[in-house]
Amino acid sequence: TDVVFQLAFPEQEADMAGASLLRFCRLIRLVRVVKVFRLNYMKELRLMVKGLVGGIRTLLLSFALLFAVLYVISGFATMTLGRDDRTEELGLQTHFENIPKSMFTAFRCFSGECFADSGVPIASVLSTNLGWGFVLCYVLSYMLVSMGIFNVILAVYVDITMRAAKETEISTAEQYARESIRIARTTRELLKKFAEA
């Protein structure tokens, strides 16, 4: 609503800054929702969030790995498919004319949406017109990215989440042991005071 109001009344920009600040302060109050994570039946959600936070570094490194592999594959695609006359005749040359467009096309193909702007499947059309050389390169690169890198990323995330679960269990056990010792000491002190009286 703030965006619509600012577009409709651009001269009232200063007033909107105050209103946006107040809305932001109201959003900060939502932080109280974090108390929900302390409830016992939210243990799995707490575990997932802890695993996600613990895996941020791994996620960034996996993005770098995926970017590097896509960059290399896109370089080859730009040099071969982007300069091939048959690709231009098929109307697919715009998807491979430079490395950024090739990277986006490769990412789309590896994540399951490998269609041209006209709606034809890129891999199928190119395999029909370019032959087994393209099919072999496509299958190998698809297996590398989709079945290799994506699965490694998933396995690392599962490992991080399991480690977070183990750390949570150890922490809970330590807290329980400390609490038991504290209760035992308090009980002993109370019994001493009762015995003295």
Side-chain angles (χ1 to χ4, degrees):
T1 58
D2 289 343
V3 175
V4 174
F5 191 75
Q6 284 178 353
L7 291 175
F9 305 105
E11 64 276 352
Q12 295 182 354
E13 197 170 310
D15 294 337
M16 287 309 298
S20 294
L21 181 62
L22 288 174
R23 284 201 173 112
F24 182 71
C25 289
R26 273 192 258 153
L27 284 175
I28 290 176
R29 291 189 313 184
L30 288 176
V31 173
R32 290 184 286 182
V33 172
V34 172
K35 291 180 183 178
V36 171
F37 287 115
R38 295 182 188 156
L39 298 176
N40 217 13
Y41 61 88
M42 296 297 259
K43 181 180 178 182
E44 290 84 11
L45 180 62
R46 186 172 53 238
L47 180 63
M48 286 189 291
V49 169
K50 190 172 183 179
L52 179 67
V53 169
I56 292 292
R57 180 172 170 256
T58 306
L59 182 65
L60 293 175
L61 291 174
S62 65
F63 284 163
L65 176 65
L66 186 60
F67 180 83
V69 171
L70 282 177
Y71 184 80
V72 171
I73 291 171
S74 300
F76 285 123
T78 302
M79 288 188 298
T80 56
L81 299 174
R83 291 185 173 80
D84 196 333
D85 293 334
R86 293 175 288 181
T87 309
E88 191 170 348
E89 291 170 8
L90 296 170
L92 301 175
Q93 199 268 340
T94 57
H95 294 285
F96 303 102
E97 63 188 5
N98 57 31
I99 289 184
K101 287 186 178 183
S102 291
M103 284 182 75
F104 183 62
T105 302
F107 180 77
R108 284 177 44 207
C109 286
F110 295 140
S111 59
E113 187 201 330
C114 195
F115 295 99
D117 294 337
S118 61
V120 297
I122 295 173
S124 177
V125 171
L126 288 176
S127 67
T128 303
N129 289 292
L130 298 179
W132 286 104
F134 171 78
V135 171
L136 182 66
C137 292
Y138 179 75
V139 168
L140 289 175
S141 62
Y142 185 85
M143 289 174 64
L144 172 71
V145 174
S146 295
M147 297 178 187
I149 294 175
F150 288 163
N151 284 332
V152 167
I153 292 169
L154 184 63
V156 169
Y157 257 18
V158 168
D159 182 49
I160 287 171
T161 304
M162 294 306 290
R163 233 182 294 151
K166 198 176 286 185
E167 289 173 7
T168 302
E169 287 177 14
I170 291 171
S171 173
T172 304
E174 288 174 356
Q175 283 178 338
Y176 182 74
R178 282 195 303 264
E179 185 65 19
S180 296
I181 291 170
R182 187 186 70 76
I183 289 172
R185 285 182 183 158
T186 305
T187 306
R188 186 178 66 191
E189 293 297 321
L190 283 172
L191 288 174
K192 282 183 183 178
K193 288 183 181 180
F194 287 142
E196 291 173 1

